[in-house]
Amino acid sequence: GQQVMQIPQYQHVQEGEDFTTYCNSSTTLSNIQWYKQRPGGHPVFLIQLVKSGEVKKQKRLTFQFGEAKKNSSLHITATQTTDVGTYFCAAPNFGNEKLTFGTGTRLTIIP
Amino acid sequence: NAGVMQNPRHLVRRRGQEARLRCSPMKGHSHVYWYRQLPEEGLKFMVYLQKENIIDESGMPKERFSAEFPKEGPSILRIQQVVRGDSAAYFCASSVDRPANTGELFFGEGSRLTVL
């Protein structure tokens, strides 16, 4: 079945540094979604990308969808302590519709 | 407009007992998903349901686990004869549309099951 891999698994950065997480799939994706889960919390939807090469921004967050629609990235500029959490990408499987989540990247901030 | 409601938030069971987890989707949502999350791990898909139908249960263990989403009432995830390995957070999510049709998922706060 479809697998969605994310790297890195963990990332520790100084407050103010940038952060990037990458998501890769072995198959072409119809769309990709990004979620954030704070420690002890539940996943919260951030954004969805649909088009090949699409780039979307939300304040300090930049999301990209690859030209081949097999990979995606989330970049955070000048991290803040509020950015702490685990970031997941997720994509639907063709045919059976379930949303498969990536392994996640856990971001910790050093003040 | 209430979000996805899950209960109980915390549940403690002894080995061999049954656990029932309930999920009420957001108003207007007919698609429900259950995910399991072990501590420090990712979200593992379990089952995807629409009203009265199981669409995909490929992530459900073959034994002891069952799920339903009746015409009336919440979705139920039932775990029979629980074992310690069932200890996890179980998240329910709902959407207004299928994931392939840009259906973002709204998650509940989760039910944390501890098996003693």
Side-chain angles (χ1 to χ4, degrees):
Chain A
Q2 173 180 288
Q3 288 193 355
V4 181
M5 304 302 295
Q6 261 186 275
I7 56 170
Q9 189 174 1
Y10 301 95
Q11 186 81 58
H12 311 283
V13 300
Q14 291 274 355
E15 188 175 7
E17 291 183 339
D18 293 355
F19 159 77
T20 304
T21 173
Y22 301 89
C23 189
N24 295 292
S25 169
S26 55
T27 58
T28 303
L29 305 172
S30 61
N31 67 73
I32 194 158
Q33 302 177 15
W34 285 90
Y35 292 79
K36 176 184 178 181
Q37 184 177 23
R38 292 181 184 275
H42 60 280
V44 174
F45 175 82
L46 293 176
I47 209 159
Q48 181 169 252
L49 304 170
V50 179
K51 300 176 184 175
S52 169
E54 189 169 14
V55 177
K56 287 188 177 180
K57 293 192 175 186
Q58 289 179 350
K59 298 182 180 178
R60 294 179 294 103
L61 277 63
T62 302
F63 303 85
Q64 289 188 309
F65 201 9
E67 293 290 340
K69 298 182 75 171
K70 287 186 175 181
N71 55 71
S72 181
S73 65
L74 158 58
H75 180 81
I76 303 178
T77 304
T79 54
Q80 300 175 359
T81 54
T82 54
D83 296 325
V84 164
T86 302
Y87 293 84
F88 293 98
C89 62
N93 280 48
F94 277 116
N96 61 15
E97 301 290 354
K98 71 183 183 186
L99 199 67
T100 298
F101 279 75
T103 45
T105 296
R106 186 176 177 182
L107 172 64
T108 55
I109 307 288
I110 306 165
Chain B
N1 188 12
V4 177
M5 304 300 292
Q6 285 190 251
N7 69 82
R9 292 288 309 280
H10 298 275
L11 182 63
V12 179
R13 285 288 179 265
R14 296 191 180 278
R15 280 180 298 169
Q17 291 184 319
E18 178 179 287
R20 282 195 182 219
L21 310 178
R22 287 174 288 279
C23 169
S24 295
M26 284 184 70
K27 188 176 181 180
H29 288 192
S30 60
H31 303 257
V32 166
Y33 316 79
W34 286 92
Y35 287 84
R36 177 163 63 177
Q37 187 174 42
L38 295 170
E40 309 297 321
E41 293 193 9
L43 294 153
K44 300 298 183 187
F45 169 82
M46 298 184 74
V47 62
Y48 165 30
L49 310 105
Q50 281 185 268
K51 278 291 186 183
E52 299 185 271
N53 293 310
I54 296 175
I55 306 301
D56 185 340
E57 56 181 349
S58 58
M60 289 273 276
K62 293 283 186 279
E63 297 176 349
R64 301 189 299 108
F65 285 73
S66 62
E68 62 176 6
F69 189 15
K71 187 176 181 181
E72 301 291 338
S75 176
I76 306 284
L77 178 67
R78 182 184 178 201
I79 311 173
Q80 294 178 289
Q81 299 174 345
V82 296
V83 300
R84 290 216 173 99
D86 296 333
S87 296
Y90 291 85
F91 287 98
C92 170
S94 72
S95 66
V96 69
D97 202 347
R98 300 150 56 207
N101 286 352
T102 69
E104 71 177 85
L105 267 55
F106 293 82
F107 280 83
E109 296 190 352
S111 291
R112 284 155 177 81
L113 171 65
T114 302
V115 180
L116 301 177

